[in-house]
Amino acid sequence: MNFFSHLECGYCAKTYEADKLWNLCTECSKPLLARYDLLSAKEKLSKDELKNREPNLWRYNELLPVRDKKFILSLGEGFSPLFKAARLGKELGFSNLYIKDEGLNPTTSFKARGLSVAISRAYELGVKEVSIPSAGNAAGAMSAYAALAGMKSYVFMPKDVPSPFISECKALGAEVTLIDGLITDCGKAAAEGVKKYGRFDISTLKEPYRIEGKKTMGYELAEQFDWNLPDVIIYPTGGGTGLIGMWKAFDEMEQLGWIDSKRPRMVTVQSTGCAPIVKAFEDNTEFAELWNDAHTIADGLRVPAAVGDFLMLRSLRESNGIAIAVSDEKMLDSANLIGRTQGIFTSPEGGATLAAFLKLREIKWIKETETVVLFNTGSGHKYSHLWESD
Ligand SMILES: *Cc1c(COP(=O)(O)O)cnc(C)c1O
């Protein structure tokens, strides 16, 4: 049973047939979103069936775009633990704080979710070579699943990316090209190979299925909170697939009759050194402008322009959410605070969510009685250089 029916442009709503390879919308060059026959799914699939399934994201396989299970490439991604942060909460005087720890995923970040689904789907559709521009974690995850599929993988990363990101891709068999520039420059270099050699482009939101892998974070949260979503979700945002994916998952689950219409307020956190979505949110614009001179220690947040900007901004506004920027220094302080109270070695991106929480409490945007989830999107291990000077 699989309910994937077609693709639809997230901007102009043009539809596309499901079982062909697509990148962006051919009309308006915006991201395509996977659509499902949720009416049939509502009849045939009950949420109670999920209980006894394997603890990985493929437990939602009927609502993912891979038709035939034999093409599923899995390293155990997803179904990450949701910890109640009791000691941290006590220190902060806040009782309902949770951390969803994505650092426990294969390749130590939630990028494994998106790439497991995207590469499985590409594998099912016969792709032999894949290519990705990445700030670090996405490249490692792509390399892992491409290795599992026996595909050739090409990775384009900024040359100042910390060395563990590069080592990981090499060890997983990818061909790595280092670019003197930002992820947007890596995108241009990757695009050349796509055009010249016909490699399939797995860039954030230029490929429709990474977001499907990321949406499973939304399904999991619902399942882990016994189908009552939290009041606030704080998410470190770069390309935005996680934010857009969870927002999509909530809609799907409501149509399936699994949750009601209550939604969390979605919070985007970025670095003060690269905050295009925060700026657009504050300026009340539909799209974000390119951020010049992007710099931050949080490699996953060093994204000066995102093709899904309007989808992120939509979900923030529809949810009565907010977008805020925090300094790199505050990210690290917060990562250390999570570390010494909860025993989790977070990435700076994970630290950013706590820094944002502290700010939002200060301005009373978050109330005492609310339930808040921080997303630690990756482990600190690939960023250990940030702790070396101490
Ligand atoms: C990629 C990345 C992000 C940003 O995720 P998006 O869903 O693309 O916004 C955040 N944290 C880490 C650790 C990442 O690798």
Side-chain angles (χ1 to χ4, degrees), residues 217-362:
M217 294 189 290
Y219 279 86
E220 284 173 26
L221 270 188
E223 217 185 326
Q224 290 172 320
F225 276 118
D226 201 19
W227 309 102
N228 291 301
L229 295 174
D231 296 301
V232 175
I233 292 177
I234 306 187
Y235 184 83
T237 308
T241 46
L243 187 75
I244 302 163
M246 282 192 275
W247 195 244
K248 181 173 187 283
F250 300 151
D251 259 357
E252 290 175 2
M253 283 189 285
E254 187 180 356
Q255 289 182 59
L256 290 165
W258 292 4
I259 59 166
D260 60 20
S261 60
K262 186 197 153 213
R263 293 285 185 277
R265 307 202 299 287
M266 306 298 280
V267 179
T268 270
V269 194
Q270 298 195 303
S271 162
T272 46
C274 180
I277 301 302
V278 177
K279 180 166 191 304
F281 182 81
E282 287 172 354
D283 294 349
N284 210 17
T285 56
E286 186 182 14
F287 300 100
E289 279 169 41
L290 174 83
W291 188 274
N292 288 312
D293 186 31
H295 59 90
T296 165
I297 55 168
D299 299 278
L301 306 186
R302 202 163 54 144
V303 182
V307 64
D309 51 359
F310 67 101
L311 293 170
M312 289 186 247
L313 289 160
R314 239 186 241 169
S315 66
L316 293 176
R317 288 173 183 139
E318 283 174 15
S319 76
N320 291 314
I322 197 167
I324 64 171
V326 299
S327 69
D328 285 6
E329 197 187 341
K330 290 258 163 62
M331 279 182 209
L332 269 188
D333 288 348
S334 296
N336 286 328
L337 181 51
I338 296 174
R340 78 175 157 76
T341 53
Q342 294 298 137
I344 301 169
F345 183 20
T346 74
S347 56
E349 292 86 344
T353 63
L354 177 59
F357 171 83
L358 296 174
K359 238 175 150 170
L360 292 173
R361 278 263 287 158
E362 207 175 286

Side-chain angles (χ1 to χ4, degrees), residues 13 23 72 120-121 140 153 159 181 265 292-293 305-306 328 331:
N23 287 111
I72 289 177
S120 295
R121 182 59 174 158
S153 54
K159 77 170 202 282
R265 307 202 299 287
N292 288 312
D293 186 31
D328 285 6
M331 279 182 209

Side-chain angles (χ1 to χ4, degrees), residues 109-111 137-138 204 214 235-243 300-301 347 349 377-378 383:
S109 90
F110 72 155
K111 290 291 195 302
N137 277 319
T204 305
K214 291 269 193 87
Y235 184 83
T237 308
T241 46
L243 187 75
L301 306 186
S347 56
E349 292 86 344
T377 45
Y383 305 78

